[in-house]
Amino acid sequence: MKIIDIDVKELNRATRRARSRSPETDQLVDVISGLKPDEAKAVVLDEGDSVKKMRSRLTYAARLAGKRLQIGYQGDQVLFALSNRPVRSRSSSK
């Protein structure tokens, strides 16, 4: 690896890579956005998926949707519903 000095203006002109979302994440965001307080959903795990990975995906999608979820699992399903607690906002350090 070689590290060199550059002008900071060069960095400002450089193309920045945005995080792209998978179709599955977009689908989760849509479902979470449409959830009502008295509804619950479940994701059936596919071969190769784990509960940990799906919990992470659900948490990420909920953050994108501006919602907070209650998440659990049962067998090969990851269950989720809207949480009663409000979404935490990130406060700026003063």
Side-chain angles (χ1 to χ4, degrees):
M1 175 169 62
K2 183 177 179 181
I3 300 174
I4 61 171
D5 290 326
I6 63 166
D7 186 1
V8 73
K9 292 177 189 172
E10 198 173 330
L11 174 62
N12 293 336
R13 288 189 303 261
T15 304
R16 291 189 176 95
R17 183 175 165 219
R19 185 171 184 174
S20 60
R21 290 191 227 162
S22 68
E24 292 84 7
T25 300
D26 286 334
Q27 184 180 7
L28 286 172
V29 169
D30 290 342
V31 169
I32 291 168
S33 295
L35 268 179
K36 293 178 178 51
D38 59 343
E39 280 185 313
K41 301 280 185 182
V43 177
V44 179
L45 297 175
D46 289 331
E47 187 105 11
D49 277 342
S50 67
V51 171
K52 185 176 179 179
K53 184 190 281 187
M54 187 52 64
R55 282 182 60 92
S56 177
R57 280 185 185 168
L58 282 167
T59 303
Y60 174 64
R63 189 169 53 236
L64 292 174
K67 306 280 183 171
R68 191 147 185 188
L69 296 179
Q70 174 181 331
I71 303 172
Y73 68 93
Q74 184 176 43
D76 66 341
Q77 296 180 347
V78 179
L79 317 166
F80 63 97
L82 293 178
S83 175
N84 295 336
R85 297 183 300 171
V87 174
R88 289 184 291 184
S89 63
R90 294 182 182 204
S91 61
S92 59
S93 299
K94 293 183 180 182

Coordinates of all heavy atoms in Angstrom, one line a residue:
M1 N 0.9 -1.2 0.0 CA 0.0 0.0 0.0 C 0.9 1.2 0.0 O 1.9 1.3 0.7 CB -0.9 0.0 1.2 CG -1.7 1.2 1.4 SD -3.0 1.2 2.6 CE -2.2 1.0 4.1
K2 N 0.5 2.2 -0.8 CA 1.2 3.4 -0.9 C 0.3 4.6 -0.6 O -0.8 4.7 -1.1 CB 1.8 3.6 -2.3 CG 2.7 4.8 -2.5 CD 3.2 4.8 -3.9 CE 4.1 6.1 -4.1 NZ 4.6 6.1 -5.5
I3 N 0.7 5.5 0.4 CA -0.1 6.6 0.7 C 0.6 7.9 0.3 O 1.8 8.0 0.6 CB -0.4 6.6 2.3 CG1 -1.1 5.4 2.7 CG2 -1.1 7.9 2.7 CD1 -1.3 5.2 4.2
I4 N -0.1 8.8 -0.4 CA 0.5 10.0 -0.9 C -0.3 11.2 -0.4 O -1.5 11.1 0.0 CB 0.6 10.0 -2.5 CG1 -0.8 9.9 -3.1 CG2 1.5 8.8 -2.9 CD1 -0.9 10.1 -4.6
D5 N 0.3 12.4 -0.5 CA -0.4 13.6 -0.2 C -1.1 14.1 -1.4 O -0.6 14.0 -2.5 CB 0.7 14.7 0.2 CG 1.3 14.4 1.6 OD1 0.6 13.8 2.4 OD2 2.5 14.7 1.7
I6 N -2.3 14.6 -1.2 CA -3.1 15.2 -2.3 C -3.7 16.6 -1.8 O -3.7 16.8 -0.6 CB -4.3 14.3 -2.7 CG1 -5.3 14.1 -1.6 CG2 -3.7 13.0 -3.3 CD1 -6.6 13.5 -2.1
D7 N -4.1 17.4 -2.7 CA -4.8 18.6 -2.3 C -6.2 18.3 -1.9 O -6.9 17.5 -2.5 CB -4.8 19.5 -3.6 CG -5.3 20.9 -3.3 OD1 -5.7 21.2 -2.1 OD2 -5.4 21.7 -4.2
V8 N -6.7 18.9 -0.8 CA -8.0 18.6 -0.3 C -9.1 19.0 -1.3 O -10.2 18.4 -1.3 CB -8.2 19.4 1.0 CG1 -8.4 20.9 0.8 CG2 -9.4 18.8 1.8
K9 N -8.8 19.9 -2.2 CA -9.8 20.3 -3.3 C -10.0 19.1 -4.2 O -11.1 18.9 -4.7 CB -9.3 21.4 -4.1 CG -9.2 22.7 -3.3 CD -8.7 23.8 -4.2 CE -8.4 25.1 -3.3 NZ -7.7 26.1 -4.0
E10 N -9.0 18.2 -4.4 CA -9.2 17.0 -5.2 C -10.2 16.1 -4.6 O -11.0 15.5 -5.3 CB -7.8 16.4 -5.3 CG -7.7 15.4 -6.5 CD -6.3 14.9 -6.6 OE1 -5.3 15.6 -6.4 OE2 -6.2 13.7 -7.1
L11 N -10.1 15.9 -3.3 CA -11.1 15.1 -2.6 C -12.5 15.6 -2.7 O -13.5 14.9 -2.9 CB -10.7 15.0 -1.1 CG -11.7 14.2 -0.2 CD1 -11.9 12.8 -0.7 CD2 -11.3 14.3 1.2
N12 N -12.7 16.9 -2.6 CA -14.0 17.5 -2.7 C -14.6 17.3 -4.1 O -15.8 17.3 -4.3 CB -13.9 19.0 -2.4 CG -13.6 19.3 -0.9 OD1 -13.9 18.4 -0.1 ND2 -13.1 20.4 -0.6
R13 N -13.8 17.2 -5.1 CA -14.2 17.0 -6.5 C -14.4 15.5 -6.8 O -15.1 15.1 -7.8 CB -13.2 17.6 -7.5 CG -13.2 19.1 -7.6 CD -12.4 19.5 -8.8 NE -11.0 19.0 -8.7 CZ -9.9 19.7 -8.3 NH1 -10.1 20.9 -7.8 NH2 -8.8 19.1 -8.3
A14 N -13.9 14.6 -6.0 CA -14.0 13.2 -6.3 C -15.4 12.7 -6.1 O -16.2 13.2 -5.4 CB -13.1 12.4 -5.3
T15 N -15.7 11.7 -6.9 CA -17.0 11.0 -6.8 C -17.1 10.2 -5.5 O -16.2 9.5 -5.2 CB -17.2 10.1 -8.0 OG1 -17.0 10.8 -9.2 CG2 -18.6 9.4 -8.0
R16 N -18.3 10.4 -4.9 CA -18.5 9.7 -3.6 C -19.4 8.6 -3.9 O -20.4 8.7 -4.6 CB -19.1 10.6 -2.6 CG -18.1 11.7 -2.1 CD -18.6 12.4 -0.9 NE -17.6 13.3 -0.4 CZ -17.5 14.6 -0.8 NH1 -18.4 15.1 -1.6 NH2 -16.6 15.4 -0.3
R17 N -19.1 7.4 -3.3 CA -20.0 6.2 -3.5 C -21.1 6.2 -2.5 O -20.8 6.2 -1.3 CB -19.1 5.0 -3.4 CG -19.9 3.7 -3.6 CD -19.0 2.5 -3.6 NE -19.8 1.4 -3.5 CZ -19.5 0.3 -2.7 NH1 -18.4 0.3 -2.1 NH2 -20.4 -0.7 -2.7
A18 N -22.3 6.2 -2.9 CA -23.4 6.2 -2.0 C -23.7 4.7 -1.7 O -23.5 3.8 -2.5 CB -24.6 6.8 -2.6
R19 N -24.3 4.5 -0.6 CA -24.7 3.1 -0.2 C -25.9 2.7 -1.0 O -26.9 3.4 -1.0 CB -25.0 3.0 1.3 CG -25.3 1.6 1.7 CD -25.3 1.6 3.2 NE -25.5 0.2 3.7 CZ -25.5 -0.1 4.9 NH1 -25.3 0.8 5.9 NH2 -25.7 -1.4 5.3
S20 N -25.8 1.6 -1.7 CA -27.0 1.2 -2.5 C -27.8 0.2 -1.7 O -27.2 -0.6 -0.9 CB -26.5 0.6 -3.9 OG -25.7 -0.5 -3.6
R21 N -29.1 0.2 -1.9 CA -29.9 -0.7 -1.2 C -30.3 -1.9 -2.0 O -30.6 -1.7 -3.2 CB -31.2 0.0 -0.7 CG -31.0 1.0 0.3 CD -32.3 1.4 0.9 NE -32.4 2.9 0.9 CZ -33.5 3.6 1.0 NH1 -34.6 3.0 1.0 NH2 -33.4 4.9 1.1
S22 N -30.4 -3.0 -1.4 CA -30.9 -4.2 -2.1 C -32.4 -4.2 -2.3 O -33.1 -3.5 -1.5 CB -30.5 -5.5 -1.4 OG -31.2 -5.6 -0.2
P23 N -32.9 -4.9 -3.2 CA -34.4 -5.0 -3.4 C -35.1 -5.5 -2.1 O -36.2 -5.0 -1.7 CB -34.6 -5.9 -4.5 CG -33.4 -5.9 -5.3 CD -32.3 -5.6 -4.3
E24 N -34.4 -6.4 -1.4 CA -34.9 -6.9 -0.1 C -35.1 -5.8 0.9 O -36.0 -5.7 1.6 CB -34.1 -8.1 0.4 CG -34.1 -9.3 -0.4 CD -33.1 -9.3 -1.6 OE1 -32.3 -8.3 -1.7 OE2 -33.2 -10.2 -2.5
T25 N -34.0 -5.0 1.0 CA -34.1 -3.9 2.0 C -35.2 -2.9 1.6 O -35.9 -2.5 2.5 CB -32.7 -3.1 2.0 OG1 -31.7 -4.1 2.4 CG2 -32.7 -2.0 3.0
D26 N -35.3 -2.6 0.3 CA -36.4 -1.7 -0.1 C -37.8 -2.3 0.3 O -38.7 -1.6 0.7 CB -36.3 -1.4 -1.6 CG -35.2 -0.5 -1.9 OD1 -34.8 0.4 -1.1 OD2 -34.8 -0.5 -3.1
Q27 N -37.9 -3.6 0.1 CA -39.2 -4.3 0.5 C -39.4 -4.2 2.0 O -40.5 -3.9 2.4 CB -39.1 -5.7 0.0 CG -40.4 -6.5 0.2 CD -40.3 -7.9 -0.2 OE1 -39.3 -8.4 -0.6 NE2 -41.4 -8.6 -0.2
L28 N -38.4 -4.4 2.8 CA -38.5 -4.3 4.2 C -38.9 -2.9 4.6 O -39.8 -2.7 5.5 CB -37.2 -4.7 4.9 CG -36.9 -6.2 4.9 CD1 -35.5 -6.5 5.5 CD2 -38.0 -7.0 5.7
V29 N -38.3 -1.9 4.0 CA -38.6 -0.5 4.4 C -40.1 -0.2 4.1 O -40.8 0.4 4.9 CB -37.7 0.5 3.6 CG1 -38.2 1.9 3.7 CG2 -36.3 0.4 4.1
D30 N -40.6 -0.7 2.9 CA -42.0 -0.5 2.5 C -42.9 -1.2 3.5 O -43.9 -0.6 3.9 CB -42.2 -1.0 1.1 CG -41.6 -0.2 0.0 OD1 -41.2 1.0 0.3 OD2 -41.4 -0.7 -1.1
V31 N -42.6 -2.4 3.9 CA -43.5 -3.1 4.8 C -43.5 -2.5 6.2 O -44.5 -2.2 6.8 CB -43.0 -4.6 5.0 CG1 -43.7 -5.3 6.1 CG2 -43.3 -5.3 3.7
I32 N -42.3 -2.0 6.7 CA -42.2 -1.4 8.0 C -42.9 -0.1 8.0 O -43.6 0.3 9.0 CB -40.7 -1.3 8.4 CG1 -40.1 -2.6 8.7 CG2 -40.5 -0.4 9.6 CD1 -38.6 -2.7 8.8
S33 N -42.8 0.7 6.9 CA -43.4 2.0 6.8 C -45.0 1.8 6.9 O -45.6 2.7 7.4 CB -43.1 2.7 5.5 OG -41.7 3.0 5.5
G34 N -45.5 0.7 6.4 CA -46.9 0.5 6.3 C -47.5 -0.2 7.6 O -48.7 -0.4 7.6
L35 N -46.6 -0.6 8.5 CA -47.1 -1.3 9.7 C -48.0 -0.4 10.6 O -47.7 0.8 10.8 CB -45.9 -1.8 10.5 CG -45.4 -3.2 10.3 CD1 -44.2 -3.4 11.2 CD2 -46.4 -4.2 10.4
K36 N -49.0 -1.0 11.1 CA -49.9 -0.3 12.0 C -49.5 -0.8 13.4 O -48.9 -1.9 13.6 CB -51.3 -0.6 11.7 CG -51.8 0.0 10.4 CD -53.2 -0.3 10.0 CE -53.7 0.3 8.8 NZ -52.8 0.1 7.6
P37 N -49.8 0.0 14.5 CA -49.4 -0.4 15.8 C -49.9 -1.8 16.3 O -49.3 -2.4 17.1 CB -50.0 0.7 16.7 CG -50.1 1.9 15.8 CD -50.4 1.3 14.4
D38 N -51.0 -2.3 15.7 CA -51.6 -3.5 16.2 C -51.2 -4.7 15.2 O -51.8 -5.8 15.3 CB -53.1 -3.4 16.4 CG -53.8 -3.0 15.1 OD1 -53.1 -2.5 14.2 OD2 -55.0 -3.2 15.0
E39 N -50.3 -4.5 14.3 CA -49.9 -5.5 13.3 C -48.5 -6.1 13.7 O -47.7 -5.4 14.2 CB -49.8 -4.9 11.9 CG -51.1 -4.7 11.2 CD -50.8 -4.3 9.8 OE1 -50.0 -3.3 9.6 OE2 -51.4 -4.8 8.9
A40 N -48.3 -7.3 13.3 CA -47.0 -8.0 13.4 C -46.8 -8.7 12.1 O -47.7 -9.2 11.4 CB -47.0 -8.9 14.6
K41 N -45.5 -8.9 11.7 CA -45.1 -9.6 10.5 C -44.0 -10.5 10.9 O -43.4 -10.5 11.9 CB -44.6 -8.6 9.4 CG -45.6 -7.5 9.0 CD -46.5 -8.1 8.0 CE -47.4 -6.9 7.5 NZ -48.4 -7.4 6.6
A42 N -43.7 -11.5 9.9 CA -42.6 -12.4 10.1 C -41.9 -12.6 8.8 O -42.5 -12.6 7.7 CB -43.2 -13.7 10.6
V43 N -40.6 -12.7 8.9 CA -39.8 -13.0 7.7 C -39.4 -14.5 7.9 O -38.8 -14.9 8.9 CB -38.5 -12.1 7.6 CG1 -37.6 -12.5 6.5 CG2 -38.9 -10.7 7.6
V44 N -39.7 -15.3 6.9 CA -39.3 -16.7 6.9 C -37.8 -16.8 6.3 O -37.6 -16.3 5.2 CB -40.2 -17.6 6.0 CG1 -39.7 -19.0 6.0 CG2 -41.6 -17.5 6.5
L45 N -36.9 -17.3 7.1 CA -35.5 -17.4 6.7 C -35.3 -18.3 5.5 O -35.8 -19.4 5.5 CB -34.7 -17.8 7.9 CG -34.7 -16.8 9.1 CD1 -33.9 -17.4 10.2 CD2 -34.1 -15.5 8.7
D46 N -34.5 -17.8 4.6 CA -34.1 -18.7 3.5 C -32.9 -19.5 3.8 O -32.2 -19.2 4.9 CB -33.8 -17.8 2.2 CG -35.0 -17.2 1.6 OD1 -36.1 -17.8 1.7 OD2 -34.9 -16.1 1.0
E47 N -32.6 -20.4 3.0 CA -31.3 -21.2 3.2 C -30.1 -20.3 3.2 O -30.0 -19.4 2.3 CB -31.2 -22.2 2.1 CG -30.1 -23.2 2.3 CD -30.5 -24.6 2.7 OE1 -31.8 -24.8 2.6 OE2 -29.7 -25.4 3.1
G48 N -29.3 -20.3 4.2 CA -28.1 -19.5 4.3 C -28.3 -18.2 5.1 O -27.4 -17.5 5.4
D49 N -29.6 -17.8 5.4 CA -29.8 -16.7 6.2 C -29.8 -17.1 7.7 O -30.1 -18.2 8.0 CB -31.2 -16.1 5.9 CG -31.2 -15.1 4.7 OD1 -30.1 -14.7 4.3 OD2 -32.3 -14.9 4.2
S50 N -29.4 -16.1 8.5 CA -29.4 -16.4 9.9 C -30.3 -15.4 10.6 O -30.6 -14.3 10.1 CB -28.0 -16.3 10.5 OG -27.5 -15.0 10.4
V51 N -30.7 -15.7 11.8 CA -31.5 -14.8 12.6 C -30.7 -13.5 12.9 O -31.3 -12.4 12.7 CB -31.9 -15.5 14.0 CG1 -32.5 -14.4 14.9 CG2 -32.8 -16.6 13.8
K52 N -29.4 -13.6 13.2 CA -28.6 -12.4 13.4 C -28.6 -11.5 12.2 O -28.7 -10.3 12.3 CB -27.2 -12.9 13.8 CG -26.3 -11.8 14.2 CD -25.0 -12.3 14.6 CE -24.0 -11.2 15.0 NZ -22.7 -11.7 15.5
K53 N -28.4 -12.1 11.0 CA -28.3 -11.3 9.8 C -29.7 -10.6 9.5 O -29.7 -9.4 9.2 CB -28.0 -12.2 8.6 CG -27.8 -11.5 7.3 CD -27.7 -12.4 6.1 CE -26.3 -13.0 6.0 NZ -26.1 -13.8 4.8
M54 N -30.8 -11.4 9.7 CA -32.1 -10.8 9.5 C -32.4 -9.7 10.5 O -33.0 -8.7 10.1 CB -33.2 -11.9 9.4 CG -34.5 -11.4 9.0 SD -34.5 -10.5 7.4 CE -34.1 -11.7 6.3
R55 N -32.1 -9.9 11.7 CA -32.3 -8.8 12.8 C -31.6 -7.6 12.3 O -32.1 -6.5 12.5 CB -31.8 -9.3 14.1 CG -32.7 -10.3 14.8 CD -32.1 -10.6 16.2 NE -32.0 -9.4 17.0 CZ -32.9 -9.0 17.9 NH1 -34.0 -9.7 18.0 NH2 -32.7 -7.9 18.6
S56 N -30.4 -7.7 11.8 CA -29.6 -6.6 11.4 C -30.2 -5.9 10.2 O -30.3 -4.6 10.2 CB -28.2 -7.0 11.0 OG -27.4 -6.0 10.5
R57 N -30.7 -6.6 9.3 CA -31.4 -6.1 8.1 C -32.7 -5.3 8.5 O -33.0 -4.2 8.1 CB -31.8 -7.2 7.1 CG -30.7 -7.6 6.2 CD -31.3 -8.6 5.2 NE -30.2 -9.1 4.4 CZ -30.3 -10.1 3.6 NH1 -31.4 -10.7 3.5 NH2 -29.3 -10.5 2.9
L58 N -33.4 -5.9 9.4 CA -34.7 -5.3 9.9 C -34.4 -4.0 10.7 O -35.1 -3.0 10.5 CB -35.4 -6.3 10.9 CG -36.2 -7.4 10.2 CD1 -36.7 -8.4 11.1 CD2 -37.4 -6.8 9.4
T59 N -33.3 -4.0 11.5 CA -33.0 -2.8 12.3 C -32.6 -1.7 11.3 O -32.9 -0.6 11.5 CB -31.8 -3.2 13.2 OG1 -32.3 -4.2 14.1 CG2 -31.4 -2.0 14.1
Y60 N -31.8 -2.0 10.3 CA -31.3 -1.1 9.3 C -32.5 -0.5 8.5 O -32.7 0.7 8.4 CB -30.3 -1.7 8.3 CG -29.9 -0.8 7.2 CD1 -29.2 0.4 7.4 CD2 -30.2 -1.1 5.9 CE1 -28.9 1.2 6.4 CE2 -29.9 -0.3 4.8 CZ -29.2 0.8 5.1 OH -28.8 1.7 4.0
A61 N -33.4 -1.4 8.1 CA -34.6 -0.9 7.3 C -35.5 -0.1 8.2 O -36.1 0.9 7.7 CB -35.4 -2.1 6.8
A62 N -35.7 -0.4 9.5 CA -36.5 0.4 10.4 C -35.9 1.8 10.6 O -36.6 2.8 10.6 CB -36.6 -0.3 11.8
R63 N -34.6 1.8 10.7 CA -33.9 3.2 10.8 C -34.2 4.0 9.6 O -34.5 5.2 9.7 CB -32.4 3.0 11.0 CG -31.7 4.3 11.4 CD -30.3 4.1 11.9 NE -29.5 3.3 10.9 CZ -28.8 2.2 11.3 NH1 -28.9 1.7 12.5 NH2 -28.1 1.6 10.4
L64 N -34.1 3.4 8.4 CA -34.4 4.1 7.1 C -35.9 4.6 7.1 O -36.2 5.6 6.6 CB -34.2 3.2 5.9 CG -32.7 2.9 5.6 CD1 -32.6 1.9 4.5 CD2 -31.9 4.1 5.3
A65 N -36.8 3.8 7.7 CA -38.2 4.1 7.7 C -38.6 5.0 8.8 O -39.7 5.5 8.9 CB -39.0 2.8 7.8
G66 N -37.6 5.3 9.7 CA -37.9 6.2 10.8 C -38.8 5.5 11.9 O -39.6 6.2 12.6
K67 N -38.7 4.2 12.0 CA -39.6 3.5 13.0 C -38.6 2.7 13.9 O -37.5 2.5 13.7 CB -40.5 2.5 12.3 CG -41.3 3.1 11.2 CD -42.5 3.7 11.7 CE -43.4 4.2 10.5 NZ -44.6 4.7 11.0
R68 N -39.2 2.2 15.0 CA -38.5 1.4 16.0 C -39.3 0.1 16.1 O -40.5 0.1 16.2 CB -38.5 2.1 17.3 CG -37.5 1.5 18.2 CD -36.9 2.5 19.1 NE -35.9 1.8 19.9 CZ -35.3 2.4 20.9 NH1 -35.5 3.6 21.2 NH2 -34.4 1.7 21.6
L69 N -38.6 -1.0 16.0 CA -39.2 -2.3 16.0 C -38.9 -3.1 17.3 O -37.9 -2.9 17.9 CB -38.7 -3.2 14.8 CG -39.0 -2.7 13.4 CD1 -38.4 -3.6 12.4 CD2 -40.5 -2.6 13.2
Q70 N -39.9 -4.0 17.5 CA -39.7 -5.0 18.5 C -39.5 -6.3 17.7 O -40.3 -6.6 16.8 CB -41.0 -5.1 19.3 CG -41.2 -6.2 20.3 CD -42.5 -6.1 20.9 OE1 -43.1 -5.1 21.1 NE2 -43.0 -7.3 21.3
I71 N -38.4 -7.0 17.9 CA -38.0 -8.1 17.1 C -37.8 -9.4 17.9 O -37.2 -9.3 19.0 CB -36.7 -7.8 16.3 CG1 -36.8 -6.5 15.4 CG2 -36.3 -9.0 15.4 CD1 -35.6 -6.1 14.8
G72 N -38.3 -10.5 17.4 CA -38.1 -11.8 18.1 C -37.9 -12.9 17.0 O -38.0 -12.6 15.8
Y73 N -37.7 -14.1 17.5 CA -37.6 -15.2 16.5 C -38.3 -16.4 17.1 O -38.4 -16.6 18.3 CB -36.2 -15.4 16.1 CG -35.3 -16.0 17.1 CD1 -35.2 -17.4 17.3 CD2 -34.6 -15.2 18.0 CE1 -34.3 -17.9 18.3 CE2 -33.8 -15.7 19.0 CZ -33.7 -17.1 19.1 OH -32.9 -17.6 20.1
Q74 N -38.7 -17.2 16.1 CA -39.4 -18.5 16.5 C -39.2 -19.5 15.3 O -39.6 -19.2 14.2 CB -40.9 -18.2 16.7 CG -41.7 -19.4 17.2 CD -43.1 -19.1 17.5 OE1 -43.7 -18.3 16.7 NE2 -43.6 -19.6 18.6
G75 N -38.4 -20.5 15.6 CA -38.1 -21.5 14.5 C -37.3 -20.8 13.4 O -36.3 -20.2 13.6
D76 N -37.9 -20.9 12.2 CA -37.2 -20.3 11.0 C -37.8 -19.0 10.6 O -37.7 -18.5 9.5 CB -37.2 -21.3 9.8 CG -38.6 -21.5 9.3 OD1 -39.6 -21.2 10.0 OD2 -38.8 -22.0 8.2
Q77 N -38.4 -18.3 11.6 CA -39.1 -17.0 11.3 C -38.5 -15.9 12.3 O -38.3 -16.2 13.5 CB -40.6 -17.1 11.6 CG -41.3 -18.0 10.6 CD -42.8 -18.1 10.9 OE1 -43.3 -17.6 11.9 NE2 -43.5 -18.6 9.9
V78 N -38.3 -14.7 11.7 CA -38.0 -13.6 12.5 C -39.2 -12.7 12.6 O -39.7 -12.2 11.5 CB -36.8 -12.8 11.9 CG1 -36.4 -11.6 12.8 CG2 -35.6 -13.7 11.8
L79 N -39.8 -12.5 13.8 CA -41.0 -11.8 14.0 C -40.7 -10.3 14.3 O -39.7 -10.0 15.0 CB -41.8 -12.4 15.1 CG -41.8 -13.9 15.2 CD1 -42.3 -14.4 16.5 CD2 -42.7 -14.5 14.0
F80 N -41.6 -9.4 13.8 CA -41.4 -8.0 14.1 C -42.7 -7.2 14.2 O -43.6 -7.6 13.5 CB -40.4 -7.3 13.2 CG -40.8 -7.3 11.8 CD1 -41.4 -6.2 11.2 CD2 -40.6 -8.4 10.9 CE1 -41.7 -6.1 9.9 CE2 -40.9 -8.4 9.6 CZ -41.5 -7.2 9.1
A81 N -42.7 -6.2 15.0 CA -43.8 -5.3 15.1 C -43.3 -4.0 15.5 O -42.1 -3.9 16.0 CB -44.8 -5.8 16.1
L82 N -44.1 -2.9 15.4 CA -43.7 -1.6 15.9 C -43.5 -1.6 17.4 O -44.3 -2.2 18.1 CB -44.7 -0.6 15.5 CG -44.9 -0.3 14.0 CD1 -46.0 0.8 13.8 CD2 -43.6 0.2 13.4
S83 N -42.5 -1.0 17.8 CA -42.2 -0.9 19.3 C -43.0 0.3 19.8 O -43.3 1.3 19.1 CB -40.7 -0.6 19.5 OG -40.5 -0.4 20.9
N84 N -43.4 0.2 21.1 CA -44.1 1.3 21.7 C -43.2 2.5 22.0 O -43.7 3.6 22.3 CB -44.7 0.8 23.1 CG -45.8 -0.2 22.8 OD1 -46.4 -0.3 21.7 ND2 -46.0 -1.1 23.8
R85 N -41.9 2.2 22.1 CA -41.0 3.3 22.4 C -40.7 4.1 21.2 O -40.6 3.6 20.1 CB -39.6 2.7 22.9 CG -39.8 1.9 24.2 CD -38.5 1.4 24.7 NE -37.9 0.5 23.7 CZ -36.7 0.0 23.8 NH1 -35.9 0.3 24.8 NH2 -36.2 -0.8 22.9
P86 N -40.5 5.4 21.3 CA -40.3 6.3 20.2 C -38.9 6.1 19.6 O -38.0 5.6 20.3 CB -40.4 7.7 20.8 CG -40.2 7.6 22.2 CD -40.6 6.2 22.6
V87 N -38.7 6.5 18.4 CA -37.4 6.4 17.8 C -36.4 7.4 18.5 O -36.7 8.5 18.8 CB -37.5 6.8 16.3 CG1 -36.1 6.9 15.6 CG2 -38.4 5.9 15.5
R88 N -35.2 6.8 18.8 CA -34.2 7.7 19.4 C -33.6 8.6 18.4 O -33.2 8.2 17.3 CB -33.1 6.8 20.0 CG -33.6 6.0 21.2 CD -32.4 5.3 21.8 NE -32.0 4.2 20.9 CZ -31.1 3.3 21.2 NH1 -30.4 3.4 22.3 NH2 -30.8 2.4 20.3
S89 N -33.5 9.8 18.8 CA -32.8 10.8 17.8 C -31.3 10.9 18.3 O -31.0 10.8 19.5 CB -33.5 12.1 17.9 OG -33.4 12.7 19.1
R90 N -30.5 11.2 17.3 CA -29.1 11.4 17.7 C -28.9 12.8 18.1 O -29.2 13.7 17.3 CB -28.2 11.0 16.5 CG -28.3 9.6 16.1 CD -27.4 9.3 15.0 NE -27.5 7.9 14.6 CZ -26.5 7.3 13.9 NH1 -25.5 7.9 13.6 NH2 -26.7 6.0 13.6
S91 N -28.4 13.0 19.2 CA -28.2 14.4 19.7 C -26.8 14.8 19.4 O -25.9 14.0 19.4 CB -28.5 14.5 21.2 OG -27.6 13.7 21.9
S92 N -26.6 16.0 19.0 CA -25.3 16.5 18.7 C -24.6 16.8 20.0 O -25.2 17.3 21.0 CB -25.4 17.8 17.8 OG -26.1 18.8 18.5
S93 N -23.3 16.6 20.0 CA -22.5 16.9 21.2 C -22.2 18.4 21.3 O -22.0 19.0 20.3 CB -21.1 16.2 21.1 OG -21.4 14.8 21.0
K94 N -22.4 18.9 22.4 CA -22.2 20.3 22.6 C -20.9 20.6 23.4 O -20.4 19.9 24.1 CB -23.4 21.0 23.3 CG -24.6 20.9 22.5 CD -25.7 21.6 23.2 CE -26.9 21.6 22.3 NZ -28.1 22.2 22.8

